[in-house]
Amino acid sequence: MTLEIKTATLDSVRNTFAHIERRFGDKPATRYQEATYDVQSENYFHYRPLWQPEKELNDPSRTAIKMEDWYAFRDPRQMYYGTYVQQRAKMQEVAENNYSFFEKRSLINHLSDEVKAKLIRYLVPLRHMEQAANLNNMYASSYGYGTAITQACLFNGMDRLGVAQYLSRIGLILDGNSGDALTEAKLFWMKDELWQGLRACAEEMTVTEDWFEVLIAQDVVADSLIYDLYYHQFDAWLQDNQAQDVGMLTEFMQVWSKESNRWVDAVLKTAAAESDENKALLEQWIMKWKTKLMQSLEAISAEMLGGDALRAAEAVLNKRLAKAGLFK
Amino acid sequence: MSKVYIALQDNDESRYIVAAIEDDNPDATVIYMPAMIRIENEGSLTIKRESVEEQMGRDWDVQELHINLITLGGNVDEDDDALSLHWNE
Amino acid sequence: MAVKKLNIKDKYRLLTRDLDWDYSYAERKKAFPFEEFEGIKITDWSKWEDPFRLTMDSYWKYQAEKEKKLYAIFDAFSQNNGHLNVSDPRYVNAIKIFLTGVSPLEYQAYQGFAHVGRQLGGIGARVACQMQSLDELRHVQTQIHAMSHYNKFFDGFQEFSHMHDRVWYLSVPKSFFNDARSAGPFEYMIAIGFSFEYVLTNLLFVPFMSGAAHNGDMATVTFGFSAQSDEARHMTLGLEVIKFLLEQHEDNLPIVQKWLDKWFWRGSRLLTIVAMMMDYMLPNKVMSWKEAWEVYFEEAGGALFKDLARYGIRMPKYSETIKKEKEHISHQAWWTFYTHGHATGFHTWIPSDEELDWLSEKYPDTFDKYYRPRWELAKKMEADGNRFYTKALPQLCTTCQIPMLFTEMDDPTQICYRDTVYEGERYHFCSDGCKDIFDDEPEKYVQSWLPVHQIYQGNCGGPGVEDILSDFYKMNLGKDNMDMKGSPDEQRWKEWKNSA
């Protein structure tokens, strides 16, 4: 027997907002649609920015990428604020349980000194790279155009802060909350020859002007290479060296990366498919930053994993680029 | 002296927090308004984690206050054990 | 190895503050190019105090919990036709103003805080601003979702975004925030982070949210309470910013004071619409605008400025003028909207006799003397079949962009006119406050896109007002605009109530 509760049905006057109806037709809209499409102001700004008087407050010409409709950058994850925080909260709960378990059971004692030293030298300094990623995605969010892409950049920027904080916690686990591992890792980042190439790249990204170029450099090239090297290849090495428990502490990054890439891939594909000019520009930027980043990661990957590791990461990047319709 | 204040949503959890505040700040005034509980005090007000835990019967993080908080007035000082408000005069 | 217990301050420092570094390869000034042009001097960013040390994992956890609760209520509201519970269909026009006028400001706040969240040199300040940016996105999106149900059943919500960019009264809030975002990062922080989010926020929130509570609008009141807890963080950020700037260098004091004077004035002008909403658009009253101003500015603000006095900060300029104006502005504003009701995206009406009496009681010194006679006349004209709609377009103040409806404070029978000649052109203002703002930065304010000027210049279509309203503003004539009496909103309400 089924139970049907009858509520009074009233005829609505309209199904959704007029701008949503213009785009999608006269039918009920999703929360993502209503929260995203055409919310950003587009015309008749009152004052030019004192800090950039040659541009308007919201200005599509802050990038050389051209789009007929900036809302073509629909997020395949359909994340607006509510779904974003709820998704992250689920991931955070798992991570918190993992970290709690790791600490309660003192799983640190299962890690050899060699592994601990490697984590401080290779993994923990990445927190500074994530700090740069936070700046870069905030840059894209603030200078970008259209809610669809700018909100996703904001989410990404805040995610990087979260990842940086998890990496910092790993450091604190390694040094028993003394902060020594973090100090050591920062010293590597600032002074050790191994890291200077990547640090220089990070700094250069933060002075790059075109926000779409910054997004490409960071979210496409850098992240692809780094996340494959660390959260796939290095993770495998750790498993082979009785350090699989570290995976509990980096699981968040793996889950995050997989989800975020769905968005990044969609951005790439949409921008490339728009026009030959866009495609050429994207390819130009990718080549530029790929060269720089591969060079900067050469020594790190060689020391951390051995000769072929970087080529393998590059292959992963190339595969994604091909899927997006680039370099074809 | 000026009054500091804090307002919480009027729900089950908040009542425990309010009880703790009343215990630790005996001169504070508690005002019940629609859907909101407002607490005022001259000069300063402190919410202690331990007191709230005692009232609630479970572990409680000071930062959990964010879920029930509506608004507050005064300079904020927050650490692991308490949140306090004060005016400098 | 013994594990030391870290306190929240140290932990936050290691997890957040320590992430940043001194550049060696690129020029740090190029990465953060806007720190100096405003004349503000920062000697030591490390002195920044983080009031709430929220790490991202905690942020996600607590905010998700709030969202779950909030959306459960939104769902219940629409499943149960919650809109039928509002006190009176006139109330809905208040939230039309909210969605078309205020929600887009939340969006601009998201953008503004994202900008300073990238551009400020100190990581502590950046992270706090980034979180606020995220919160403001939350606010605009939850507001859109809260109003989504109303949009299905009432007129005037459907073109909120298009209208905000063009409609004459909506350029008031829009230009306010454009002004803040086009300013440098430190002015933005004082304008919005401090002046708006700390000093004036309650004067926006309490009227709308309490108004919602008193008038059966569960969706809005729930949104309001949920958003308020974010506001607590925003307020503490605002207070921290002003203290930080004043403690960094004594040269910052005159600059900060100047910004306080400007933004306090612009902010209180912006609140005129809220004052009107509170006194005239809520069928069940919360309190009068006059009372709200007394509680939330004169008393609460008093405590704040006493605290700041030790830095050399004084009360904002013209706070005495506003004190006098609180007796008048809501009446002057509603009269203007009533008489221009053919050109508004919401309905207007004559207050009921009970409401007129309430106004007399709340404004004993001004209402019966200056404003009741107008309503008596309006009632007579309406009864004669001549409900008054003006044929003219109003002159707007160049700075605040409100029609020139404000009067001289010491003689409410005289409209206040001020002007400045700049590079051969005469610019008009509603007050000394607005004139001062213009005179300090004329090159900025001459750029204003004043809706009435633009109409006369032929930039909004036409040739008639009706064409502009329907084609350029995308108003549904006879549905969004005109008197409440006889509107489709009123008609539908009667049908729903009869069939219930």
Side-chain angles (χ1 to χ4, degrees):
Chain A
M1 184 181 81
T2 52
L3 215 56
E4 264 184 34
I5 300 174
K6 290 224 182 287
T7 50
T9 16
L10 295 177
D11 286 326
S12 58
V13 178
R14 58 185 64 80
N15 280 305
T16 181
F17 297 104
H19 45 275
I20 305 292
E21 195 181 309
R22 283 192 282 274
R23 283 186 180 272
F24 301 109
D26 183 13
K27 55 184 184 357
T30 64
R31 286 209 159 116
Y32 174 74
Q33 286 172 334
E34 290 196 338
T36 305
Y37 286 86
D38 304 308
V39 183
Q40 182 200 274
S41 176
E42 303 226 334
N43 296 292
Y44 314 120
F45 303 104
H46 292 277
Y47 326 101
R48 288 190 172 250
L50 291 176
W51 36 272
Q52 213 178 47
E54 68 279 11
K55 300 285 181 200
E56 297 280 11
L57 278 170
N58 301 341
D59 198 324
S61 79
R62 286 198 173 95
T63 174
I65 291 286
K66 297 215 186 320
M67 297 296 295
E68 179 69 39
D69 178 9
W70 279 89
Y71 288 93
F73 287 114
R74 176 185 163 283
D75 182 349
R77 305 165 301 177
Q78 308 217 43
M79 276 185 169
Y80 58 93
Y81 182 92
T83 46
Y84 167 70
V85 291
Q86 290 187 67
Q87 184 56 28
R88 292 291 174 270
K90 279 193 212 144
M91 291 162 64
Q92 175 273 336
E93 203 178 345
V94 172
E96 204 53 45
N97 287 339
N98 286 354
Y99 275 72
S100 212
F101 189 81
F102 194 100
E103 286 171 285
K104 258 189 263 179
R105 296 304 190 97
S106 304
L107 296 184
I108 183 83
N109 297 333
H110 293 187
L111 302 181
S112 67
D113 287 338
E114 185 204 357
V115 164
K116 281 191 248 183
K118 274 195 158 69
L119 291 172
I120 297 177
R121 184 167 170 76
Y122 303 128
L123 185 65
V124 180
L126 224 49
R127 64 200 273 259
H128 301 290
M129 195 62 212
E130 290 293 339
Q131 150 64 6
N134 165 271
L135 289 177
N136 292 331
N137 280 281
M138 290 310 301
Y139 187 80
S141 183
S142 59
Y143 281 174
Y145 198 82
T147 312
I149 197 169
T150 59
Q151 74 177 334
C153 289
L154 176 64
F155 298 151
N156 190 305
M158 302 313 288
D159 289 338
R160 313 319 288 258
L161 180 61
V163 170
Q165 290 170 341
Y166 280 125
L167 288 168
S168 307
R169 283 173 73 175
I170 292 174
L172 289 172
I173 291 175
L174 290 168
D175 63 26
N177 283 344
S178 67
D180 289 343
L182 298 178
T183 308
E184 207 184 330
K186 194 162 188 184
L187 216 52
F188 285 134
W189 174 258
M190 293 304 287
K191 295 264 188 297
D192 197 294
E193 195 50 50
L194 191 73
W195 282 97
Q196 298 318 296
L198 194 60
R199 175 156 83 90
C201 263
E203 291 180 15
E204 197 184 335
M205 277 188 240
T206 66
V207 298
T208 300
E209 221 179 280
D210 189 311
W211 65 269
F212 212 103
E213 182 182 349
V214 174
L215 195 153
I216 295 298
Q218 176 68 64
D219 294 350
V220 177
V221 186
D223 288 350
S224 208
L225 295 171
I226 292 173
Y227 274 72
D228 184 76
L229 278 173
Y230 277 85
Y231 302 110
H232 179 61
Q233 296 188 55
F234 186 56
D235 181 71
W237 182 91
L238 287 166
Q239 288 186 50
D240 288 341
N241 287 273
Q242 287 80 49
Q244 62 272 14
D245 293 339
V246 177
M248 292 175 81
L249 307 176
T250 57
E251 188 186 7
F252 181 93
M253 290 68 139
Q254 293 183 350
V255 172
W256 175 79
S257 168
K258 191 161 173 229
E259 181 224 88
S260 182
N261 283 348
R262 286 182 60 209
W263 166 67
V264 176
D265 288 346
V267 168
L268 212 47
K269 192 167 181 204
T270 304
E274 176 86 359
S275 67
D276 290 334
E277 290 79 22
N278 278 359
K279 184 163 176 282
L281 196 49
L282 293 167
E283 289 173 350
Q284 186 192 317
W285 287 336
I286 289 170
M287 281 321 295
K288 167 182 169 189
W289 287 99
K290 200 161 141 209
T291 310
K292 286 180 201 275
L293 281 154
M294 298 263 306
Q295 210 165 63
S296 70
L297 288 165
E298 195 73 62
I300 297 174
S301 61
E303 219 190 88
M304 190 168 75
L305 290 162
D308 283 338
L310 192 55
R311 306 282 151 251
E314 190 192 3
V316 169
L317 170 60
N318 288 344
K319 201 162 166 221
R320 280 177 69 190
L321 296 173
K323 217 173 104 194
L326 292 165
F327 299 104
K328 282 192 180 150
Chain B
M1 239 208 312
S2 304
K3 284 201 184 144
V4 297
Y5 63 90
I6 189 165
L8 302 173
Q9 297 196 11
D10 188 356
N11 61 34
D12 206 41
E13 250 182 23
S14 294
R15 280 178 224 127
Y16 297 116
I17 302 172
V18 172
I21 296 174
E22 284 179 300
D23 267 356
D24 292 326
N25 304 270
D27 291 330
T29 328
V30 179
I31 309 160
Y32 288 87
M33 298 165 77
M36 168 162 88
I37 309 171
R38 184 186 162 98
I39 305 142
E40 294 176 352
N41 207 19
E42 291 281 341
S44 75
L45 191 72
T46 306
I47 304 161
K48 292 193 189 146
R49 178 182 50 79
E50 268 179 15
S51 307
V52 175
E53 284 181 342
E54 218 186 284
Q55 297 282 347
M56 266 189 189
R58 64 163 178 87
D59 285 343
W60 187 78
D61 230 305
V62 174
Q63 292 195 328
E64 283 184 57
L65 199 60
H66 286 290
I67 301 172
N68 297 311
L69 184 61
I70 293 178
T71 185
L72 45 70
N75 291 290
V76 175
D77 231 301
E78 187 206 41
D79 66 30
D80 289 298
D81 296 318
L83 183 132
S84 66
L85 301 163
H86 70 279
W87 287 120
N88 296 310
E89 276 169 21
Chain C
M1 177 170 46
V3 177
K4 197 174 92 170
K5 177 84 168 60
L6 271 180
N7 71 38
I8 194 174
K9 278 190 175 116
D10 289 334
K11 193 166 181 209
Y12 192 78
R13 184 180 48 81
L14 292 169
L15 254 48
T16 304
R17 306 290 292 259
D18 187 46
L19 294 173
D20 209 353
W21 71 90
D22 290 325
Y23 278 23
S24 316
Y25 305 102
E27 248 190 274
R28 182 89 181 174
K29 280 215 167 104
K30 217 175 150 221
F32 300 95
F34 305 137
E35 294 239 281
E36 290 174 359
F37 84 94
E38 295 175 274
I40 288 286
K41 299 189 170 106
I42 305 292
T43 54
D44 185 3
W45 267 112
S46 76
K47 289 281 187 295
W48 174 272
E49 286 284 329
D50 308 294
F52 286 120
R53 299 174 188 89
L54 220 47
T55 49
M56 277 318 294
D57 57 340
S58 300
Y59 180 91
W60 291 322
K61 178 174 162 187
Y62 298 133
Q63 296 300 106
E65 212 173 310
K66 289 188 211 171
E67 288 308 74
K68 273 201 204 100
K69 290 180 179 181
L70 183 60
Y71 279 91
I73 295 188
F74 287 164
D75 285 341
F77 185 79
S78 51
Q79 282 157 11
N80 290 285
N81 291 313
H83 64 285
L84 296 177
N85 293 324
V86 304
S87 55
D88 179 315
R90 292 180 301 156
Y91 162 78
V92 183
N93 293 287
I95 55 177
K96 293 178 196 179
I97 293 181
F98 195 85
L99 185 64
T100 56
V102 178
S103 303
L105 297 192
E106 306 271 19
Y107 192 89
Q108 285 205 66
Y110 139 62
Q111 293 181 293
F113 280 100
H115 185 239
V116 296
R118 166 59 181 81
Q119 298 297 339
L120 290 173
I123 186 170
R126 279 202 304 272
V127 170
C129 290
Q130 291 174 13
M131 269 187 199
Q132 179 147 355
S133 172
L134 202 43
D135 291 338
E136 304 292 1
L137 182 70
R138 171 185 196 227
H139 293 176
V140 56
Q141 294 185 329
T142 48
Q143 283 161 25
I144 292 172
H145 290 151
M147 309 285 173
S148 175
H149 180 76
Y150 283 107
N151 173 57
K152 294 180 180 162
F153 291 96
F154 295 88
D155 295 314
F157 292 96
Q158 69 278 0
E159 291 278 13
F160 71 88
S161 198
H162 183 91
M163 285 193 185
H164 186 80
D165 268 352
R166 295 162 179 76
V167 173
W168 58 279
Y169 53 91
L170 296 174
S171 78
V172 174
K174 183 179 169 179
S175 66
F176 174 89
F177 233 99
N178 275 188
D179 190 347
R181 281 177 62 214
S182 57
F186 293 111
E187 184 179 349
Y188 178 85
M189 292 304 292
I190 293 297
I192 305 303
F194 181 70
S195 305
F196 200 71
E197 293 275 12
Y198 200 100
V199 185
L200 298 174
T201 187
N202 281 323
L203 289 159
L204 176 65
F205 252 85
V206 170
F208 275 113
M209 301 311 142
S210 298
H214 286 237
N215 287 281
D217 178 3
M218 185 167 74
T220 304
V221 69
T222 313
F223 155 77
F225 280 147
S226 194
Q228 275 287 82
S229 54
D230 302 330
E231 296 300 333
R233 279 185 279 115
H234 301 174
M235 287 171 76
T236 48
L237 171 58
L239 192 55
E240 172 55 30
V241 165
I242 193 170
K243 288 192 309 192
F244 176 72
L245 291 184
L246 293 170
E247 284 168 7
Q248 279 293 300
H249 202 288
E250 57 185 8
D251 287 357
N252 294 341
L253 173 61
I255 302 175
V256 170
Q257 183 69 64
K258 185 180 84 163
W259 287 339
L260 272 183
D261 292 340
K262 168 181 170 182
W263 285 100
F264 174 76
W265 183 258
R266 269 216 90 159
S268 36
R269 271 292 181 260
L270 175 67
L271 292 171
T272 306
I273 300 185
V274 179
M276 155 187 113
M277 190 277 301
M278 226 180 163
D279 281 348
Y280 284 88
M281 297 180 82
L282 299 177
N284 293 339
K285 309 291 183 197
V286 178
M287 54 169 73
S288 69
W289 174 254
K290 178 173 172 215
E291 286 168 327
W293 188 261
E294 282 160 3
V295 170
Y296 292 105
F297 183 73
E298 287 169 22
E299 282 169 33
L304 167 69
F305 283 99
K306 261 202 258 168
D307 187 276
L308 293 175
R310 63 206 164 103
Y311 294 112
I313 289 288
R314 52 155 174 77
M315 282 287 269
K317 211 173 172 193
Y318 303 118
S319 34
E320 288 308 306
T321 306
I322 304 270
K323 224 169 164 177
K324 294 180 192 165
E325 282 200 338
K326 71 184 184 226
E327 303 259 9
H328 296 276
I329 58 170
S330 62
H331 316 293
Q332 293 169 355
W334 184 248
W335 180 255
T336 303
F337 279 95
Y338 173 81
T339 55
H340 290 77
H342 57 298
T344 57
F346 56 91
H347 302 302
T348 51
W349 56 86
I350 299 171
S352 69
D353 288 340
E354 292 78 28
E355 288 168 346
L356 291 172
D357 290 341
W358 179 85
L359 289 163
S360 296
E361 185 208 318
K362 292 296 179 184
Y363 294 91
D365 299 324
T366 52
F367 187 73
D368 286 336
K369 191 169 175 191
Y370 301 109
Y371 304 110
R372 186 186 273 273
R374 302 187 198 186
W375 294 112
E376 300 300 339
L377 176 61
K379 269 201 273 182
K380 215 153 132 271
M381 292 179 75
E382 185 188 88
D384 290 340
N386 271 338
R387 196 279 198 207
F388 180 72
Y389 291 108
T390 184
K391 295 270 188 288
L393 297 182
Q395 181 185 42
L396 305 180
C397 169
T398 294
T399 302
C400 68
Q401 306 204 13
I402 296 177
M404 305 278 277
L405 52 84
F406 300 99
T407 55
E408 295 285 0
M409 271 311 102
D410 298 312
D411 183 359
T413 65
Q414 295 297 316
I415 294 283
C416 182
Y417 290 109
R418 301 287 182 271
D419 68 272
T420 294
V421 177
Y422 178 74
E423 294 191 347
E425 293 267 8
R426 187 178 302 275
Y427 297 88
H428 300 273
F429 314 100
C430 67
S431 54
D432 292 321
C434 282
K435 179 181 151 82
D436 281 0
I437 292 171
F438 178 94
D439 288 344
D440 194 53
E441 291 178 282
E443 338 72 53
K444 180 165 185 176
Y445 296 94
V446 300
Q447 300 173 54
S448 312
W449 191 88
L450 297 168
V452 177
H453 283 60
Q454 294 294 324
I455 287 172
Y456 281 136
Q457 288 171 25
N459 295 326
C460 304
V465 169
E466 289 225 335
D467 308 297
I468 294 164
L469 296 176
S470 67
D471 301 338
F472 190 72
Y473 287 177
K474 287 200 200 297
M475 269 184 202
N476 289 333
L477 300 184
K479 295 183 180 165
D480 296 345
N481 63 347
M482 310 299 279
D483 202 290
M484 187 67 199
K485 284 204 181 121
S487 65
D489 269 9
E490 187 191 50
Q491 184 57 34
R492 282 188 290 263
W493 183 264
K494 288 188 177 145
E495 284 166 15
W496 297 330
K497 288 296 169 175
N498 285 335
S499 68

